[in-house]
Amino acid sequence: MSVYQRDSRWMVYWHDNYGKRHDKSFGRGDLAQAKALAFDKAVQDAIQLCLPIPDPETVTSTVVASVTAGTLPSVPSQVVGQVVGGITLSDLGKKYLDHMRASGRTEKHIRNIERLLENQFVPVIGDRPVDTLTYQQNMVPFILHFKGVSESTGKSRSQYTVNKYCDYLSFIFNFGIANGFTSVNPLKNWKKPKVQPWDLRLTLDDAKKIMFCAEPHLRWAMEVCFNLGTRPGESELLSLKFEHIDFNTSTIKIYASKTKTYRIIPINTEFLNRLKEEQKLSISGYVVEYQGRNLQLFVNHLRTHANVLA
């Protein structure tokens, strides 16, 4: 249960026995705040006593009566502290996004976090001061919410997705602490459940799709791997030079750094001709190069393309 503001409107949210979230708006201004606080207290009492959630109009009628009489009911200071004071989740999120831009993160990743903040995190948790959030009161309902059915797909979210959302949110909280904006990470005590790794098996059609979408140097690197059977890293693929090729015997000598030995690989005629064409264009002397230079972290690019297209 929680009182929060959305577009300056005072809101209350709670979760029923099935974990479904409910939000109720009480409008703007001091009267709306008092009504929201009164209803929030009534909801908490009802849940603790296993009673039905009371009717908002009935609960807030006493608040309206107090206004008519010229007074507003007093609000406990600790309750007020939950809704005012300190940097809010949305403001902290904006600072975190600026931090990512300054750190050179990709615009695609930044936009993804921005959408999660706007459409998921802030609406579910509420735009409350971060220092008032607790694990039991706010994070547990947040996690239970995302364990439910996705409105966009109509299917239950995977544990992998829930873990990813919690990680993103925890990064934001830790950023706030590191920069003195906040003092707590309400997800600190959350233990990430283990998930089974994806059983990703690429077919020949999958490989063709990746090669079709890949940049020219990536496509060529995959072609070399397929034809020569090299490991896709700096120890073999990225260490190959044209001087290692014997065009007279149609073979290539590959050095295996793990075993510290050479192995001789035969090359079929068609691919040997491809190598001759690439040698004419080579500047660095390496079989695989980019803009005239040899590569060292090429394997990361290959994995990125494979993950995106699979």
Side-chain angles (χ1 to χ4, degrees):
M1 295 72 66
S2 177
V3 177
Y4 67 99
Q5 280 188 289
R6 178 190 296 169
D7 299 328
S8 74
R9 290 180 292 115
W10 289 99
M11 310 280 296
V12 174
Y13 85 81
W14 70 95
H15 290 83
D16 60 24
N17 294 331
Y18 299 98
K20 183 178 180 181
R21 175 176 170 134
H22 300 268
D23 291 76
K24 171 65 179 175
S25 172
F26 291 89
R28 298 177 173 83
D30 293 339
L31 174 59
Q33 179 187 10
K35 292 168 68 174
L37 292 169
F39 181 66
D40 181 60
K41 179 63 168 59
V43 171
Q44 293 186 47
D45 292 343
I47 291 178
Q48 290 179 357
L49 298 174
C50 298
L51 296 174
I53 300 301
D55 176 57
E57 298 301 324
T58 302
V59 172
T60 58
S61 61
T62 56
V63 177
V64 177
S66 298
V67 173
T68 303
T71 61
L72 276 173
S74 60
V75 179
S77 59
Q78 65 270 27
V79 176
V80 175
Q82 292 179 353
V83 292
V84 294
I87 190 170
T88 62
L89 179 58
S90 63
D91 287 340
L92 180 61
K94 293 175 183 177
K95 292 183 180 296
Y96 180 72
L97 293 172
D98 288 340
H99 160 69
M100 288 201 296
R101 292 186 180 96
S103 300
R105 300 302 297 271
T106 64
E107 191 58 36
K108 180 179 179 181
H109 178 66
I110 294 172
R111 183 54 186 155
N112 179 47
I113 301 299
E114 188 175 32
R115 282 195 295 263
L116 286 173
L117 280 163
E118 293 176 353
N119 303 325
Q120 303 287 357
F121 297 170
V122 173
V124 172
I125 297 173
D127 197 15
R128 306 181 56 193
V130 174
D131 280 343
T132 68
L133 301 176
T134 66
Y135 176 73
Q136 195 63 43
Q137 184 81 2
N138 306 102
M139 296 300 101
V140 170
F142 171 83
I143 295 170
L144 291 176
H145 172 81
F146 283 107
K147 278 181 171 290
V149 176
S150 170
E151 295 178 358
S152 59
T153 65
K155 299 179 181 179
S156 297
R157 296 179 182 86
S158 66
Q159 186 62 55
Y160 174 83
T161 299
V162 177
N163 288 354
K164 181 174 65 174
Y165 285 1
C166 289
D167 279 340
Y168 287 156
L169 196 56
S170 188
F171 294 156
I172 295 173
F173 292 146
N174 286 334
F175 164 79
I177 295 173
N179 289 274
F181 299 125
T182 59
S183 60
V184 299
N185 179 349
L187 276 170
K188 180 180 179 180
N189 296 325
W190 172 68
K191 303 298 182 183
K192 183 192 299 187
K194 292 184 178 180
V195 296
Q196 290 293 331
W198 289 348
D199 185 15
L200 181 61
R201 299 180 182 181
L202 294 180
T203 65
L204 182 58
D205 287 339
D206 293 331
K208 290 179 179 179
K209 291 178 182 178
I210 294 174
M211 292 182 69
F212 178 78
C213 296
E215 296 177 31
H217 66 292
L218 293 172
R219 190 182 306 119
W220 169 240
M222 295 181 68
E223 191 174 343
V224 174
C225 279
F226 294 153
N227 282 276
L228 302 182
T230 61
R231 293 186 177 90
E234 58 182 345
S235 64
E236 291 192 5
L237 172 64
L238 301 182
S239 297
L240 290 180
K241 293 185 177 181
F242 285 103
E243 64 186 46
H244 299 149
I245 302 173
D246 188 333
F247 288 97
N248 294 322
T249 61
S250 300
T251 59
I252 184 170
K253 185 169 62 175
I254 299 176
Y255 179 74
S257 60
K258 288 188 176 181
T259 60
K260 300 186 185 304
T261 58
Y262 284 96
R263 66 182 188 275
I264 306 299
I265 303 296
I267 307 173
N268 66 61
T269 303
E270 182 180 352
F271 189 63
L272 188 67
N273 292 330
R274 289 279 288 112
L275 288 168
K276 290 179 180 179
E277 294 174 2
E278 291 295 327
Q279 185 181 32
K280 295 176 182 178
L281 303 174
S282 176
I283 297 175
S284 66
Y286 284 85
V287 175
V288 177
E289 65 178 20
Y290 179 66
Q291 294 183 348
R293 295 175 296 174
N294 66 305
L295 300 171
Q296 295 180 343
L297 299 174
F298 198 64
V299 63
N300 292 335
H301 297 290
L302 286 174
R303 286 175 179 170
T304 299
H305 278 271
N307 289 337
V308 169
L309 295 174

